[in-house]
Amino acid sequence: MKNKRKSIFISITQFVLLAAILVPAVTLLLWIFTERWTWPDLAPQVFSKRAIFEIAGRKKELLQILWSSILISTVVAVLSAVIGIMTARAILLYRFPGKQVVYFFTILPFMVPATVFAMGIQITFIKMGLNNRITGVIIAHLICSLPYAIRLIMDGTAAVGSRLEEQARVLGASPFKAFYKTSLPMLMPVILSAVSMSYIVSFSQYFLTLMIGGGNVKTFTILMVPYLQSGNRNIACIYSTLFLGVTLLVFGVFEWAAGRFMKHGGGEFYTSE
Amino acid sequence: MSLMVEDLKVVLQKKVILNGISLDIREGEFISLLGASGCGKTTLLKSIAGLLEIQQGDIRIQNASVAGIPPEKRGTVIVFQDLRLFPHMTVEQNIAFPMELQKVPKDVRKKTVKKLLEEVQLTGFENRKIKEISGGRCRELHWQGLLLQIRECCS
Ligand SMILES: Nc1ncnc2c1ncn2[C@@H]1O[C@H](COP(=O)(O)OP(=O)(O)O)[C@@H](O)[C@H]1O
Ligand SMILES: [Mg+2]
C-alpha cells in the first residue's frame, strides 16, 4: 500500500517535470508559425510561414554568427575545464603560501553583480587593448564560468584524491601520465558538468559580450536578445528554438567525447575496499 | 638490491612524523616492519618510494642516493593497504598497466596477463571490472600486477 502511494507520487512528479519542460517547448514551436492567437482560444487562429521566410533570407549571416558563437563558447568551456582542473589540484593536492586567498578568489565572481563587473572590466580591458576583440570576450566569459568549473571539479578532485596517481607513479608512470590514466577518467563526469555549465554561461552571456565585444564580436545571444525584448514573437521563438537545439547538440557532442574517455565507467570515485 | 635509510626526518602538515630513522637492508634480505597503527609505516614506505618529500637524511638504493629521483624512476613498489586497483579498468588492464607504461607489445602483455591469472586460478577474469571481483581476489590481482613490475625491474 505504502509502496503504491510512493510510486504514484513519483509518477506525478515525473509528469509535472516533463510538462514543465514540454509545454513551453511546444508553445515555442507553435509560436514560430502563429500569426494570430487571441484569448480565449486554446489553439492559434491564423498560421503563417512569414517568420520562417524572413529568417531563411538571412541564413548565411545567421549560420556564420551561430558558428562563431559555438566556437567562442566551446573555447571558453574547454579552457574553463583545463584551468579548473589545475586550480582544483593546486588547492587540494599541493601546499603553497596564500592558498586560502586563492580559494576565496575562486568564488569572488559569484559575489559581484554582473553589471558592476562588466563596467569595471570594460575599463580595464580598454586600457589593456582587449576591448572589441574576441580574446577579450573569451577572457570575460571565462571569469564568469570559472567559479562554476572550479567548484565542480574541486568536489570531484577531493573525492578522487591522489591515491590512484600515487599507485600509478610507483608502477612507473610520469606525473602527467599518472593523472591522465587514472584521475582524469575518474573525473570525467564532473569535467563534463563543468564544461557544459561553462558553455551555457558563455553562450547565454548578453550584457558582458555587448560591453566587451563593443558590437565587433557578434554572438547568437547578441542577435537574439533584441528580438526577445522588442516583442516580435515569431522571430524570437525561432531564435529560442535554435538556441535550444544547438545547445542540446553541442552537449551531445561533449557527452560523446567524454564517453570515449571512460569506456569502463569513470566517476566511481571510491574503489571497492 | 640494497636499501639504506640514514637519519630520515619527514614532516607532514607541520607535524614531525618520522625523526632519526635509520635502516640498512642488504641484498636478498626480507624485512618486516611492525608497529602500531599510525606509527609511520606507510609514511616511511612512501618516503622511500619518493611519494613524499623528506626534510632531512638520505635514502640510498644500491648504494646510490635517490634524492631528486622521481617515484617512477626509483623502481620501488608499494602495495598499499587500501588496495588501489584502478576501478575504471578491467582486470587485464590493471595487471598490464606497468607493462603498458614500459611499452611492452600488446600480444606479450596479453600472454603474460593470462599466465599470471592462471597462477591464482582466475583464468577468464580478464575482462571483468574490478568492482565485480571479491576483496580477497582483488588482493591477489594487486600482487600479480606488482610482482610483474618487480620482475621487470630485476631483470
Ligand atoms: N598527509 C598527511 N598529513 C598529515 N599527517 C599525516 C599524513 N599522512 C599521515 N599522517 C600522520 O602520520 C602518522 C603516521 O601515519 P602512517 O604512516 O599512515 O601510519 P601507519 O601506516 O604506520 O599506520 C599518523 O599519525 C597520521 O595521522
Ligand atoms: Mg599504514
Side-chain angles (χ1 to χ4, degrees):
Chain A
M1 187 67 196
K2 206 178 169 188
N3 243 341
K4 199 170 177 189
R5 202 178 297 156
K6 201 170 156 191
S7 78
I8 289 173
F9 178 73
I10 289 173
S11 16
I12 289 176
T13 314
Q14 279 173 340
F15 176 78
V16 169
L17 283 176
L18 203 66
I21 295 167
L22 281 182
V23 170
V26 170
T27 315
L28 207 62
L29 283 175
L30 272 178
W31 263 109
I32 292 177
F33 303 102
T34 296
E35 199 56 49
R36 205 172 73 229
W37 188 357
T38 51
W39 195 82
D41 286 18
L42 271 178
Q45 290 108 351
V46 183
F47 288 100
S48 93
K49 292 193 194 125
R50 183 184 48 82
I52 287 280
F53 283 133
E54 199 178 318
I55 291 283
R58 301 167 45 201
K59 202 171 70 188
K60 212 172 148 214
E61 183 205 356
L62 203 67
L63 277 179
Q64 201 202 331
I65 290 178
L66 203 54
W67 187 236
S68 70
S69 268
I70 293 174
L71 225 60
I72 289 176
S73 296
T74 305
V75 168
V76 171
V78 171
L79 282 179
S80 287
V82 172
I83 299 172
I85 292 170
M86 295 198 292
T87 313
R89 288 175 69 81
I91 292 175
L92 288 167
L93 305 180
Y94 296 88
R95 285 160 49 74
F96 57 93
K99 191 161 142 169
Q100 293 303 318
V101 180
V102 173
Y103 180 66
F104 175 69
F105 277 172
T106 64
I107 48 167
L108 212 53
F110 280 147
M111 299 176 189
V112 183
T115 39
V116 175
F117 165 68
M119 300 286 198
I121 202 130
Q122 191 195 23
I123 295 165
T124 317
F125 276 19
I126 288 173
K127 280 186 196 153
M128 291 168 68
L130 282 169
N131 233 44
N132 303 343
R133 308 240 314 258
I134 288 193
T135 327
V137 171
I138 288 178
I139 294 174
H141 285 188
L142 261 177
I143 297 172
C144 295
S145 68
L146 269 174
Y148 299 101
I150 292 174
R151 280 308 156 116
L152 277 166
I153 296 174
M154 262 182 88
D155 286 344
T157 306
V160 169
S162 53
R163 296 172 57 246
L164 296 178
E165 280 176 52
E166 284 178 348
Q167 184 67 80
R169 290 296 299 279
V170 295
L171 288 175
S174 66
F176 179 75
K177 202 118 202 205
F179 166 73
Y180 183 82
K181 290 270 181 187
T182 66
S183 295
L184 188 61
M186 304 284 285
L187 283 172
M188 222 50 210
V190 268
I191 291 175
L192 184 63
S193 305
V195 165
S196 306
M197 191 74 204
S198 304
Y199 179 90
I200 202 71
V201 164
S202 163
F203 202 66
S204 56
Q205 204 65 243
Y206 175 66
F207 191 63
L208 195 57
T209 316
L210 204 61
M211 294 286 275
I212 307 298
N216 269 351
V217 182
K218 285 207 181 72
T219 64
F220 191 67
T221 306
I222 296 269
L223 204 67
M224 179 174 83
V225 169
Y227 284 103
L228 297 184
Q229 285 168 345
S230 74
N232 186 335
R233 278 214 187 128
N234 305 102
I235 305 282
C237 283
I238 293 179
Y239 279 141
S240 303
T241 309
L242 270 175
F243 188 100
L244 263 176
V246 164
T247 306
L248 285 177
L249 212 72
V250 170
F251 279 16
V253 172
F254 288 163
E255 192 114 10
W256 169 81
R260 288 178 52 113
F261 229 99
M262 35 176 212
K263 286 172 212 127
H264 292 284
E268 294 156 21
F269 292 146
Y270 306 97
T271 50
S272 49
E273 292 287 315
Chain B
M1 277 245 201
S2 69
L3 172 71
M4 239 165 111
V5 175
E6 275 170 9
D7 192 26
L8 184 72
K9 182 177 179 185
V10 175
V11 179
L12 294 174
Q13 290 173 22
K14 293 182 184 141
K15 249 176 38 194
V16 180
I17 308 291
L18 299 177
N19 200 2
I21 304 286
S22 296
L23 160 89
D24 190 354
I25 303 175
R26 266 159 289 173
E27 175 89 46
E29 283 184 330
F30 187 97
I31 300 292
S32 298
L33 269 175
L34 305 178
S37 172
C39 74
K41 303 179 295 291
T42 303
T43 306
L44 176 62
L45 291 180
K46 279 187 174 181
S47 313
I48 293 169
L51 292 172
L52 291 176
E53 222 175 292
I54 64 174
Q55 210 71 24
Q56 185 190 303
D58 195 17
I59 296 166
R60 304 166 74 81
I61 296 176
Q62 303 281 59
N63 248 336
S65 173
V66 291
I69 298 179
E72 68 270 21
K73 302 220 170 84
R74 288 194 186 188
T76 45
V77 180
I78 304 180
V79 182
F80 289 101
Q81 70 207 51
D82 56 341
L83 283 188
R84 303 181 185 185
L85 290 159
F86 306 120
H88 58 292
M89 298 181 192
T90 61
V91 171
E92 177 168 13
Q93 287 170 322
N94 264 280
I95 299 177
F97 187 73
M99 289 189 278
E100 196 191 326
L101 290 172
Q102 288 171 358
K103 306 219 159 55
V104 175
K106 211 167 182 171
D107 50 329
V108 178
R109 284 194 325 237
K110 233 182 162 72
K111 236 183 265 166
T112 319
V113 169
K114 196 165 185 281
K115 211 180 86 215
L116 287 167
L117 282 176
E118 257 164 37
E119 281 174 26
V120 287
Q121 278 125 49
L122 279 174
T123 309
F125 278 70
E126 278 92 341
N127 295 319
R128 296 280 192 99
K129 284 181 199 167
I130 290 304
K131 63 174 180 189
E132 297 167 358
I133 311 267
S134 71
R137 285 186 157 168
C138 268
R139 197 171 282 278
E140 283 169 356
L141 284 176
H142 207 49
W143 273 108
Q144 289 300 1
L146 299 169
L147 274 177
L148 190 60
Q149 170 74 4
I150 295 164
R151 282 178 197 174
E152 300 290 328
C153 285
C154 295
S155 61

